[in-house]
Amino acid sequence: MLNKIWGVSFAGPTPSEAGPFREAATLDNIGRERVLAVMMLCASLLLMVIDYSVMVLHQGSFRSLSIMAIISRLLFCAFLLVFLLATRSTSSRTSARGYFWDSAMVG
């Protein structure tokens, strides 16, 4: 009985409504994620420069930590560049690839 009341009160979208909504939401999300990707790319590059300068100026015991931080940020920057290249087309139709990149960026 409660499920029936719930179903009538909060009806979900029909399949014809759900598809276009999902595509529009994914396209909007990818647009926002592209802006965030550029900002994160700039911040990561700045942090890599800072790590390298710390590594050069302070020849101490944290050298391996700085190298690991630079390598991990370099891999993250590579992911961001691939994301920006893969999502550069602004097609009105979202493919499964768009959903993949949306999930990958959130992850």
Side-chain angles (χ1 to χ4, degrees), residues 66-107:
S66 294
I67 291 172
M68 288 179 6
I70 290 172
I71 290 172
S72 65
R73 286 192 181 104
L74 188 64
L75 291 173
F76 184 61
C77 287
F79 166 75
L80 291 175
L81 286 174
V82 169
F83 172 78
L84 289 171
L85 289 174
T87 59
R88 71 179 178 266
S89 67
T90 56
S91 64
S92 60
R93 180 89 174 132
T94 305
S95 64
R97 185 176 56 124
Y99 301 128
F100 168 76
W101 283 111
D102 185 28
S103 300
M105 190 64 180
V106 170

Side-chain angles (χ1 to χ4, degrees), residues 17 34 105:
E17 296 172 335
R34 285 182 57 82
M105 190 64 180

Side-chain angles (χ1 to χ4, degrees), residues 26-104:
T26 301
L27 283 175
D28 287 343
N29 287 343
I30 287 177
R32 289 184 198 103
E33 290 164 353
R34 285 182 57 82
V35 172
L36 288 173
V38 171
M39 291 171 37
M40 287 189 293
L41 187 63
C42 293
S44 293
L45 291 173
L46 178 66
L47 288 172
M48 282 193 306
V49 169
I50 291 170
D51 283 338
Y52 182 74
S53 65
V54 166
M55 188 174 68
V56 169
L57 294 176
H58 300 288
Q59 301 282 334
S61 62
F62 298 111
R63 186 176 180 98
S64 65
L65 182 61
S66 294
I67 291 172
M68 288 179 6
I70 290 172
I71 290 172
S72 65
R73 286 192 181 104
L74 188 64
L75 291 173
F76 184 61
C77 287
F79 166 75
L80 291 175
L81 286 174
V82 169
F83 172 78
L84 289 171
L85 289 174
T87 59
R88 71 179 178 266
S89 67
T90 56
S91 64
S92 60
R93 180 89 174 132
T94 305
S95 64
R97 185 176 56 124
Y99 301 128
F100 168 76
W101 283 111
D102 185 28
S103 300

